Amino acid sequence: MLENKKDWSLVERELQYVVALLILRKMRTEGIIDAANASRAAVALAEYFGVIRRPI
């Protein structure tokens, strides 16, 4: 169970990532953004939210 603020902040951060990806997906399906830029944006979001890290 989530008992402290740190646990809740991690859940909140994960939800923010999911919402950002959903917005990006909607933009892609509506033709607002092309596939190449959507892919770059998805990678940037993953890096920002700490899902992936690129070596320096």
Side-chain angles (χ1 to χ4, degrees), residues 3-54:
E3 298 179 10
N4 61 44
K5 286 186 176 187
K6 184 176 182 183
D7 291 338
W8 282 110
S9 67
L10 290 174
V11 170
E12 182 179 12
R13 184 119 170 118
E14 287 182 14
L15 287 173
Q16 290 171 344
Y17 177 56
V18 169
V19 170
L21 288 176
L22 288 172
I23 292 168
L24 181 60
R25 179 181 173 198
K26 184 168 179 63
M27 291 174 66
R28 176 64 187 116
T29 58
E30 291 181 0
I32 297 170
I33 189 172
D34 65 6
N37 284 322
S39 178
R40 283 191 282 269
V43 170
L45 284 170
E47 289 175 341
Y48 177 79
F49 283 97
V51 176
I52 61 171
R53 299 202 192 297
R54 291 190 182 195

